[in-house]
Amino acid sequence: MTQTHARRTDPVSSHLAAAANESNRWTQTQLVALELAKRPVPDWVIGWTSSELARTARLDRYMVARRLPDAEKAGLVERVGIMECSISGRKAVAWRAVKHD
């Protein structure tokens, strides 16, 4: 996560703000991945939806949903299919932490 969201022509203050925002985003991504890794996945469950993870971890559901794709790009989590969310009752992407040996 080294890309910052400031143009080359932007003032230094914009680059500093973009770097701080990117750092916070990476911290949130790691937090979401860590919470997912702490959740044991029973054999009868393929993974956790963002809503389920957010509720059990007491995190903002929208923050979790935005950070899971970042965690996937970083190789921390993986999409494992589509399942019915136990919270919303809707079909949603199921996520699981990537096991690193």
Side-chain angles (χ1 to χ4, degrees):
M1 302 278 155
T2 58
Q3 177 186 6
T4 58
H5 299 286
R7 294 181 292 268
R8 279 186 280 151
T9 57
D10 286 346
V12 172
S13 59
S14 293
H15 287 273
L16 294 173
N21 185 45
E22 192 66 25
S23 175
N24 183 44
R25 181 177 169 183
W26 180 239
T27 301
Q28 289 176 344
T29 299
Q30 290 173 316
L31 173 65
V32 168
L34 177 63
E35 287 297 332
L36 194 56
K38 291 187 330 187
R39 304 272 171 261
V41 180
D43 292 337
W44 51 273
V45 173
I46 63 170
W48 301 104
T49 68
S50 61
S51 291
E52 293 167 339
L53 177 61
R55 179 172 286 177
T56 59
R58 295 188 175 124
L59 296 170
D60 178 67
R61 177 249 183 282
Y62 298 101
M63 186 274 290
V64 171
R66 286 190 301 267
R67 297 289 76 88
L68 280 166
D70 293 337
E72 181 183 36
K73 287 178 190 170
L76 302 172
V77 303
E78 62 185 347
R79 296 171 199 237
V80 292
I82 302 291
M83 61 181 269
E84 185 175 314
C85 177
S86 65
I87 295 169
S88 69
R90 296 180 179 164
K91 298 287 185 187
V93 175
W95 299 88
R96 190 180 274 200
V98 172
K99 302 244 190 280
H100 294 284
D101 296 326

